[in-house]
Amino acid sequence: SCDSLSRPRGAPSSAISITAMARLPLLLLPMLTLAVQGQPPYPLYKQCDSAWGDDIMVTKTICSVGCLMSSVSDGLGGYNISIPAADGSYVEANPGTLNKWLQLNDGYDESDDLIESVVPQIDPGRITWPEDGMYKTKDGLTYELIVQWIEAGRVVIANVLEGHHFVLSVGGSEDGDTIEVHDPGFDTANYSYTDDVVGFRIFDMS
């Protein structure tokens, strides 16, 4: 799965490609987005951008399995957190520069999955992988709490499409279910909290 946090029962652990995910039904819902307070203006980086899409993570490309890493780079970009480069300089955060840094700092496991606890090493004073960062399911969570976290400026990355994909959550809706997202893999603007989201990964940045 694309750095999968939660796979459907019986699904293989290997990565699912963007091409395969594109065959899954997606629904763009009309929605009224709630005003968001306290969060930065996040960029939207596409994992298949020609500037880095063919770059290898461990064994697979960013385009194939880099949805979680690309969503993290959106968060870093929103907070203007730069990436330390190999030559000692600092560069703008995007999937290409973040991938290079993760490769040099043991940021992936052998299955191309991001190791979240490594990310704060980019800038320990501004990035935290908190104790409540990993939610393999939505147990103990509510839509209202997730929207509260988004509005407070937490970097809320949703695991969607039965666990095969990750997107950055950027807003809620008055319908009490729709989450507005920055989707690195598809031109999808929102997902249903009830029907599409299976879990979350949360970072705190400043």
Side-chain angles (χ1 to χ4, degrees):
S1 56
C2 188
D3 300 327
S4 180
L5 170 63
S6 176
R7 291 185 293 274
R9 182 173 299 174
S13 59
S14 58
I16 181 171
S17 69
I18 284 294
T19 302
M21 288 192 295
R23 299 191 184 104
L24 297 172
L26 296 175
L27 182 63
L28 285 169
L29 300 173
M31 59 174 282
L32 178 61
T33 303
L34 297 177
V36 176
Q37 306 292 329
Q39 79 172 91
Y42 295 113
L44 170 54
Y45 292 121
K46 291 294 190 177
Q47 65 194 82
C48 293
D49 189 297
S50 60
W52 50 71
D54 290 333
D55 292 357
I56 297 294
M57 294 165 60
V58 179
T59 62
K60 300 179 177 68
T61 66
I62 294 175
C63 185
S64 295
V65 297
C67 55
L68 175 56
M69 185 272 291
S70 297
S71 296
V72 172
S73 73
D74 284 357
L76 296 171
Y79 280 98
N80 294 313
I81 297 174
S82 299
I83 304 289
D87 62 4
S89 64
Y90 285 83
V91 294
E92 180 181 69
N94 61 49
T97 58
L98 178 55
N99 179 56
K100 289 184 175 69
W101 185 91
L102 290 167
Q103 290 175 324
L104 294 172
N105 291 274
D106 299 319
Y108 297 117
D109 66 17
E110 61 184 12
S111 299
D112 295 86
D113 289 334
L114 176 70
I115 300 174
E116 294 87 352
S117 60
V118 173
V119 173
Q121 296 176 26
I122 294 170
D123 192 335
R126 300 182 64 192
I127 308 168
T128 302
W129 170 241
E131 290 185 3
D132 67 340
M134 175 74 77
Y135 287 92
K136 293 185 177 182
T137 69
K138 293 182 290 186
D139 291 349
L141 298 176
T142 64
Y143 176 82
E144 291 74 21
L145 179 60
I146 292 299
V147 172
Q148 179 181 333
W149 285 349
I150 296 170
E151 293 178 348
R154 303 192 85 183
V155 176
V156 178
I157 298 172
N159 192 203
V160 299
L161 300 183
E162 297 184 317
H164 292 298
H165 192 45
F166 285 92
V167 296
L168 178 66
S169 307
V170 298
S173 168
E174 289 186 346
D175 67 11
D177 181 67
T178 301
I179 295 180
E180 184 181 6
V181 303
H182 281 186
D183 190 327
F186 304 106
D187 293 328
T188 304
N190 49 74
Y191 287 93
S192 164
Y193 178 84
T194 301
D195 297 331
D196 299 323
V197 178
V198 299
F200 292 93
R201 291 183 183 180
I202 314 292
F203 288 90
D204 290 318
M205 301 185 188
S206 62

